[in-house]
């Protein structure tokens, strides 16, 4: 009798392990290839997005539509590959960009003096986008590091889902 009970427990554990692995694979593929949830941190997108907002993002539309000016995206930071950034696309490949461009961050930290702003006009190169935070005074973006390659873009923000009182499409 005890032998039969041990076999039943092992059989159930094997079934549980099989379902766990299957669901883990489905979850991984969904978050990696379809979309996921992102927790915002930092003031660079205020007043559109605030710290601790939770966003729903998608990764599928890049296959049937191009990124457009106005899209809010999640991308790998071009200055710190272990960090993700949330910014708005201001211009896409071939578009003209005119912006106040501060000195690079390295020069600013080396001189310890306030940076001077200069007006710069340029075109966004093929395969790149120009991104900026909505909070221009407190955002490290393309004005500092230039246009970013499309390959750094992880996903496009669809809507804010938290807090529920601010549920809205973006």
């Amino acid at each position: 009798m005890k032998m039969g009970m041990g076999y039943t427990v092992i059989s159930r554990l094997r079934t549980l392990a099989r379902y766990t692995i299957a669901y883990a694979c489905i979850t991984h593929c969904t978050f990696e290839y379809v979309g996921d949830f992102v927790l915002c941190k930092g003031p660079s997108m205020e007043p559109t997005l605030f710290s601790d907002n939770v966003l729903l993002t998608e990764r599928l539309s890049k296959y049937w539509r191009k990124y457009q000016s106005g899209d809010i995206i999640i991308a790998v930071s071009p200055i710190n590959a272990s960090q993700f950034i949330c910014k708005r696309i201001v211009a896409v490949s071939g578009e003209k960009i005119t912006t106040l461009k501060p000195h690079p961050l390295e020069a600013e930290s080396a001189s310890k003096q306030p940076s001077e702003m200069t007006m710069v006009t340029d075109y966004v190169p093929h395969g790149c986008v120009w991104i900026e935070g909505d909070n221009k005074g407190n955002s490290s973006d393309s004005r500092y590091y230039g246009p970013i390659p499309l390959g750094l873009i992880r996903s496009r923000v669809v809507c804010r889902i938290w807090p529920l009182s601010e549920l809205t499409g973006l």
Side-chain angles (χ1 to χ4, degrees), residues 20 48 129 170:
T20 302
T48 307
V129 292
L170 296 171

Side-chain angles (χ1 to χ4, degrees), residues 21-147:
I21 290 170
Y23 287 128
C25 290
I26 290 168
T27 302
H28 168 75
C29 289
T30 300
F31 288 160
E32 189 65 28
Y33 301 108
V34 177
D36 63 357
F37 303 98
V38 174
L39 176 66
C40 289
K41 288 291 180 192
S44 72
M45 285 300 291
E46 291 177 1
T48 307
L49 300 171
F50 295 91
S51 279
D52 298 328
N53 282 173
V54 177
L55 309 174
L56 174 65
T57 68
E58 60 86 16
R59 296 192 173 131
L60 293 174
S61 68
K62 67 182 175 184
Y63 298 111
W64 69 79
R65 98 184 245 290
K66 295 183 180 193
Y67 292 108
Q68 302 168 352
S69 296
D71 286 348
I72 299 175
I73 52 111
I74 305 299
V76 175
S77 170
I79 56 176
N80 181 358
S82 65
Q83 186 178 35
F84 292 103
I85 55 176
C86 178
K87 305 290 180 195
R88 185 179 302 277
I89 295 177
V90 175
V92 296
S93 298
E95 289 184 349
K96 185 177 181 179
I97 186 74
T98 301
T99 187
L100 285 173
K101 184 171 180 163
H103 292 291
L105 293 174
E106 302 81 34
E108 190 174 306
S109 62
S111 68
K112 300 292 184 205
Q113 295 176 1
S115 64
E116 295 178 19
M117 304 289 249
T118 55
M119 189 60 78
V120 176
T121 301
D122 204 355
Y123 288 91
V124 179
H126 179 71
C128 294
V129 292
W130 187 274
I131 58 172
E132 293 183 10
D134 288 354
N135 185 354
K136 303 277 190 254
N138 197 359
S139 178
S140 176
D141 48 38
S142 288
R143 295 171 298 149
Y144 288 95
Y145 43 73

